[in-house]
Amino acid sequence: MTTLLLMRHGHVEGIAPERFRGRAELPLSALGQEQAEALAGRLARRGKPVALYTSPLGRCVQTALPITRALGVAGQPLEGLHDIDYGQWQGKAHEDVRRDAADLYRLWFERPHLMRFPGGESLQDLVARTADGLRDVLARHPRGEVFLVGHDSVNRALLLQLLDQPLSAYWTLAQSPCCINEIEIGPRGIQVVRINDTAHLEGLRPK
């Protein structure tokens, strides 16, 4: 059996007030660094995984560094964990997009499975990429525990596939910074053990 621990990166600027961050290179905030340390402390109690994969973006690599120090496992970039491409909306504040492209903005939140970002990706593109990444990980590691550090959108896309849910359910899954999702994949199929677990972050708040 393979156990996947799927995590989101720590806090960055642009989460609140919200921007379309996507593939922008954003460093962890001071809060994000504290969250990453707390995440590593919790994971250290589980023991060393067989592998640690991250999105190529710096905020995920940075989140994985305390895990590397705590458990002695080097992070490896995985293209399948790369964040969604927001195209022309990249870096824009939500309030600006809501004002300038009201119909498309409403579509993203009401029927996300029908949306393609101008000059960017759709959820179908994201699902195809994350599915390829997941297949690659499972082929490399048919047993043991694997850590994955991804993004809000990436994690949602993976969880929808693992839960056998439609893309229209995209917004039903919360993914907080440095959360943990645990999935067991074995002969009996897929069992999602936990989603968006943030117990290790108790007491950490934006300063």
Side-chain angles (χ1 to χ4, degrees):
M1 181 177 71
T2 302
T3 299
L4 302 177
L5 259 65
L6 174 64
M7 296 156 279
R8 186 186 174 192
H9 63 77
H11 180 271
V12 295
E13 298 301 322
I15 288 180
E18 200 166 7
R19 290 183 174 273
F20 288 94
R21 298 174 303 279
R23 299 191 173 186
E25 278 291 3
L26 300 168
L28 295 184
S29 64
L31 172 61
Q33 293 173 20
E34 291 180 1
Q35 291 172 334
E37 293 288 350
L39 175 63
R42 181 171 179 186
L43 295 177
R45 297 195 292 270
R46 299 183 69 104
K48 186 174 180 178
V50 296
L52 168 62
Y53 294 98
T54 77
S55 159
L57 288 175
R59 55 191 181 270
C60 291
V61 175
Q62 195 177 355
T63 298
L65 287 178
I67 303 172
T68 294
R69 290 195 295 268
L71 291 169
V73 57
Q76 305 174 60
L78 183 68
E79 182 62 29
L81 295 176
H82 209 314
D83 206 357
I84 193 168
D85 184 354
Y86 287 121
Q88 296 171 19
W89 291 10
Q90 176 76 51
K92 292 186 177 181
H94 276 230
E95 61 184 48
D96 293 336
V97 176
R98 185 188 297 113
R99 180 193 63 231
D100 299 335
D103 290 343
L104 275 181
Y105 185 84
R106 189 181 309 111
L107 182 66
W108 172 229
F109 288 98
E110 293 179 357
R111 291 179 290 172
H113 56 298
L114 301 182
M115 172 69 178
R116 176 177 291 279
F117 293 99
E121 290 185 312
S122 67
L123 284 185
Q124 287 80 4
D125 296 327
L126 179 63
V127 164
R129 179 159 46 77
T130 56
D132 284 344
L134 180 59
R135 278 192 291 268
D136 188 21
V137 166
L138 293 175
R140 294 184 198 179
H141 311 289
R143 61 186 63 82
E145 196 158 84
V146 179
F147 293 173
L148 307 170
V149 183
H151 302 268
D152 184 9
S153 61
V154 166
N155 292 9
R156 289 173 191 258
L158 281 169
L159 287 167
L160 287 175
Q161 295 171 69
L162 292 163
L163 291 163
D164 197 22
Q165 293 298 303
L167 285 180
S168 57
Y170 178 83
W171 292 112
T172 65
L173 296 169
Q175 287 294 284
S176 301
C178 279
C179 68
I180 295 174
N181 308 280
E182 184 174 350
I183 305 100
E184 295 177 349
I185 302 175
R188 294 186 178 182
I190 297 168
Q191 183 174 37
V192 178
V193 178
R194 71 186 73 222
I195 294 178
N196 199 40
D197 183 349
T198 58
H200 50 288
L201 303 180
E202 187 175 353
L204 294 181
R205 297 288 184 273
K207 294 180 174 62

